[in-house]
Amino acid sequence: MSEIIVAYWSGTGNTAAMADYVGQGIEESGKKARVVSISDITPDSLKDASVFALGCPSMGAEQLEEGEMEPFVEAVKAFAAGKTIGLFGSYGWGDGEWMRIWEADMKAAGARVVGGEDAICNEAPDEEAVEACKELGRDLARA
Ligand SMILES: Cc1cc2nc3c(=O)[nH]c(=O)nc-3n(C[C@H](O)[C@H](O)[C@H](O)COP(=O)(O)O)c2cc1C
């Protein structure tokens, strides 16, 4: 059975925790998940996948993390057309603007974004966010 990759960047662990819950949701639905930091894979490893998830917190000023994640996502955008992608991440003092921008960006690249901006949370995931992450995983497994 092919695995669904859940690739994330996380500075202080909140988005990493979310990634684990997305992975749990995938596995609850009978599919295999591979939860991995983007430092440990290349964008090319997503090229042949029709479904995957990307996670990143709000950094900079409502931006993706610039050093690693932004170049990673730029590379993914080149082959994102027709892919089904789940986006998730944590934020702090903002209102989730970075995720609205990110979702619009991936849609503009031709991706189908599953779950929209549902899987975002303020700092560490609370019960509601845990459920939203698992739901995203379940949706990806069904896609
Ligand atoms: C350099 C830096 C920039 C940030 N910029 C924003 C921001 O623009 N908007 C926001 O809501 N939170 C911002 N945050 C807060 C983080 O998104 C928040 O702490 C998040 O939970 C970090 O997730 P992580 O533990 O996965 O790294 C920023 C944090 C840092 C360290």
Side-chain angles (χ1 to χ4, degrees):
M1 189 201 309
S2 67
E3 59 189 11
I4 297 177
I5 294 176
V6 180
Y8 68 89
W9 184 95
S10 183
T12 55
N14 297 330
T15 304
M18 296 176 80
D20 282 336
Y21 292 119
V22 175
Q24 277 183 32
I26 291 169
E27 303 225 326
E28 275 172 16
S29 300
K31 293 257 169 89
K32 199 170 157 29
R34 181 178 166 213
V35 180
V36 61
S37 157
I38 59 145
S39 311
D40 297 328
I41 59 164
T42 62
D44 272 0
S45 49
L46 298 170
K47 227 174 189 166
D48 293 331
S50 56
V51 179
F52 54 87
L54 296 174
C56 182
S58 179
M59 298 290 286
E62 301 300 333
Q63 289 160 318
L64 297 177
E65 186 276 329
E66 283 181 306
E68 280 187 283
M69 191 67 189
E70 208 174 271
F72 190 96
V73 170
E74 279 306 308
V76 169
K77 274 162 63 180
F79 56 79
K83 309 271 189 205
T84 298
I85 305 178
L87 302 177
F88 62 94
S90 174
Y91 64 96
W93 50 85
D95 68 351
E97 185 187 354
W98 104 106
M99 186 56 79
R100 294 195 290 279
I101 296 167
W102 193 11
E103 185 191 4
D105 224 26
M106 298 313 288
K107 282 183 172 169
R112 182 167 84 94
V113 179
V114 170
E117 296 139 33
D118 289 350
I120 67 173
C121 73
N122 189 243
E123 300 297 345
D126 59 9
E127 218 173 287
E128 196 183 329
V130 167
E131 190 43 45
C133 291
K134 288 185 182 176
E135 185 59 26
L136 178 62
R138 291 190 285 263
D139 285 347
L140 290 169
R142 281 193 293 261

